Amino acid sequence: MLIKDPKTSAAKENQITDESVYHRRRDIIKSMGFVGASSLLSSTSAQASFFGNDDKPFKTQALDYAPDAKQVSTKLTPEEKIITHNNFYEFGTGKSDPVENAQQFKVNPWRLSVEGLAENPFSLDYDDLFKQFPLEERIYRLRCVEAWSMVVPWIGFSLAALIKKAKPLSSAKYVAFETLYDPKQMPGQKNRFAGGGIDYPYVEGLRIDEAVHPLTLLSVGLYGKTLPPQNGAPIRLVVPWKYGFKSIKSITRIRLTDKRPPTSWNRLAPNEYGFYANVNPSVDHPRWSQASERRISGASLFSRNRIDTQMFNGYEEVAPLYDGMNLRKNF
């Protein structure tokens, strides 16, 4: 599947990855091991490993292209920042709450069901998440609706491959997603105050054409390792042209439907969080501007590392999905 943008078709991974990380990955690939989510806070040089085997090596894609290289940084966000600066209200509303509260979260056994308007509904267990579909590494920008951003080396597989396996009926127009509901493990689900006012379980949705777009990813890892629980273990959605809250974490259910599904933040505050949630610098949040963002990099989280926000987060190839739509009304 061709998913590179022509503007960076000649880009190499070591041009957008810190050199030390790049060389370490090449050594890691030779061993092609496996590491559990519980080890993600230990030494990366000692613990890092790739999924897969010699028959199905990862396809690395240089996907972090910039419409204006002077405005959009292509440097990877350090792993430490990615795994400690999170929004995952099921584990608390503070940025450090997820890493502090999720380390005992059990990801195995796991069951992901794919159901609804499909000829071939099925389910995946924990091992299936890593074996049923070829895994790839994709380097994507992540833009939060709060106007901060990261550059993340995800590992996962195309959502389109999973939907194809389900054989959707012609009546299927949307794809609905649901997060695990387990208040015993997820303290933010015990009451709405602790979980930011959200009515759990967390739910999200895409139009089916958005879901099968080549950029849409189901991620099972980052930085060469399984997802840590605070980042959505064992499987999460990544839709790089939309604000981060669309990329639902710890998914247990995917449903094909003919009706637009409810989504958690839209249900909580429809005037602030639309169904589409496409990154759009010309449509401000009611309480702040979306024209620029603070890129979280190796510097302090509070440093003034601001860059201009790009339409669709820079992934302009998705624009035809919205031809003829008023993107101010359909925000």
Side-chain angles (χ1 to χ4, degrees):
M1 182 185 340
L2 183 62
I3 53 180
K4 286 187 180 181
D5 184 272
K7 285 172 284 196
T8 57
S9 60
K12 304 296 183 182
E13 184 189 10
N14 62 340
Q15 292 178 299
I16 56 178
T17 304
D18 289 346
E19 184 177 3
S20 61
V21 175
Y22 174 77
H23 288 298
R24 176 166 55 82
R25 288 183 184 179
R26 295 297 151 295
D27 294 334
I28 290 165
I29 285 177
K30 295 176 182 177
S31 60
M32 301 301 287
F34 179 86
V35 64
S38 62
S39 68
L40 284 170
L41 295 181
S42 57
S43 169
T44 56
S45 61
Q47 297 291 338
S49 61
F50 275 79
F51 299 107
N53 52 53
D54 292 336
D55 294 327
K56 294 183 179 180
F58 287 142
K59 302 173 184 176
T60 57
Q61 304 286 349
L63 291 175
D64 189 62
Y65 64 87
D68 183 345
K70 296 180 180 179
Q71 295 292 328
V72 181
S73 170
T74 57
K75 184 178 181 180
L76 287 178
T77 299
E79 181 182 10
E80 180 183 359
K81 298 290 175 66
I82 295 172
I83 68 176
T84 60
H85 185 84
N86 304 109
N87 284 330
F88 199 175
Y89 282 13
E90 283 85 345
F91 294 104
T93 58
K95 293 293 184 288
S96 62
D97 287 347
V99 70
E100 294 173 1
N101 297 330
Q103 294 312 304
Q104 301 305 312
F105 182 61
K106 294 179 175 62
V107 299
N108 190 9
W110 195 265
R111 181 67 58 179
L112 171 62
S113 66
V114 183
E115 57 193 61
L117 299 176
E119 294 181 20
N120 182 42
F122 62 94
S123 64
L124 302 174
D125 64 20
Y126 181 80
D127 289 335
D128 290 332
L129 300 180
F130 311 106
K131 295 178 180 178
Q132 284 284 317
F133 305 97
L135 298 178
E136 300 176 336
E137 180 181 63
R138 301 190 187 181
I139 299 170
Y140 283 162
R141 292 186 298 281
L142 172 67
R143 173 59 154 82
C144 181
V145 73
E146 297 169 343
W148 55 264
S149 62
M150 295 180 174
V151 180
V152 184
W154 300 106
I155 294 169
F157 56 90
S158 172
L159 175 57
L162 180 141
I163 292 175
K164 181 179 180 180
K165 179 179 173 67
K167 298 181 180 179
L169 302 179
S170 60
S171 55
K173 306 300 182 185
Y174 295 90
V175 183
F177 305 85
E178 187 174 308
T179 292
L180 175 72
Y181 183 69
D182 188 347
K184 291 183 179 180
Q185 291 200 82
M186 295 174 153
Q189 292 181 341
K190 290 181 180 179
N191 63 73
R192 294 189 67 179
F193 176 78
I198 293 172
D199 183 13
Y200 291 104
Y202 196 96
V203 291
E204 257 304 336
L206 298 172
R207 275 189 346 215
I208 197 164
D209 57 345
E210 298 175 312
V212 301
H213 191 277
L215 287 176
T216 308
L217 184 72
L218 287 172
S219 175
V220 295
L222 59 83
Y223 259 110
K225 295 173 285 186
T226 51
L227 282 174
Q230 64 270 23
N231 290 92
I235 187 166
R236 64 169 289 166
L237 182 68
V238 180
V239 192
W241 69 91
K242 294 179 179 288
Y243 292 118
F245 66 85
K246 293 291 290 187
S247 294
I248 184 171
K249 303 176 178 76
S250 300
I251 305 169
T252 59
R253 188 183 183 205
I254 297 176
R255 182 172 50 88
L256 294 155
T257 177
D258 58 350
K259 298 179 176 61
R260 194 170 90 173
T263 63
S264 286
W265 280 103
N266 178 250
R267 188 162 56 187
L268 179 65
N271 63 315
E272 297 185 5
Y273 307 103
F275 173 81
Y276 286 97
N278 292 320
V279 176
N280 189 340
S282 65
V283 177
D284 291 338
H285 187 281
R287 288 177 280 131
W288 57 79
S289 170
Q290 295 288 17
S292 67
E293 63 204 64
R294 177 171 54 85
R295 173 63 52 80
I296 296 177
S297 59
S300 165
L301 291 177
F302 303 101
S303 64
R304 293 183 60 82
N305 187 18
R306 298 208 70 85
I307 58 177
D308 292 340
T309 293
Q310 305 296 320
M311 185 66 194
F312 299 122
N313 203 22
Y315 297 98
E316 298 171 353
E317 61 264 54
V318 304
L321 295 174
Y322 311 102
D323 282 347
M325 290 182 61
N326 182 334
L327 296 183
R328 286 188 171 273
K329 181 178 179 180
N330 296 288
F331 64 94

